[in-house]
Amino acid sequence: MADKNDKVPENAPGKYYIDNSCVPCNDCLEEAPKLLKYTDDESKVYFHKQPTTPEELVAARKAMEICPVEAIGDDGE
Ligand code: SF4
């Protein structure tokens, strides 16, 4: 389960985030390419934008479901 106290610092503020357990494996980027980006050093992925449209919310949910290490959370602030 993702830890909101261990977020990748670059995440845009809001409900969705990626924590520091991200590998990164790239799987989530295929589900939500409009919302997610690699950090500058490419060591993690983060939400550069929170989902707002219904389509983006579906993409964020799919990214959460596909993450093999459960690094994506939806209980952020
Ligand atoms: S699917 Fe999970 S581990 Fe893979 S890049 Fe995305 S957040 Fe990181």
Side-chain angles (χ1 to χ4, degrees):
M1 188 179 162
D3 181 356
K4 65 182 174 188
N5 296 314
D6 192 28
K7 288 182 183 180
V8 174
E10 287 90 338
N11 282 290
K15 199 174 160 189
Y16 286 87
Y17 63 91
I18 295 179
D19 77 10
N20 283 309
S21 63
C22 172
V23 182
C25 68
N26 197 54
D27 288 355
C28 59
L29 276 155
E30 291 176 15
E31 298 294 343
K34 291 182 183 167
L35 305 176
L36 303 172
K37 274 188 183 171
Y38 277 104
T39 53
D40 287 346
D41 66 1
E42 299 187 350
S43 65
K44 306 286 176 210
V45 172
Y46 66 99
F47 278 84
H48 73 91
K49 172 186 184 312
Q50 291 288 320
T52 50
T53 66
E55 292 77 15
E56 287 174 349
L57 283 163
V58 169
R61 300 302 306 176
K62 284 188 177 170
M64 265 185 90
E65 285 162 17
I66 205 171
C67 178
V69 295
E70 298 185 10
I72 305 180
D74 66 353
D75 60 343
E77 288 136 25

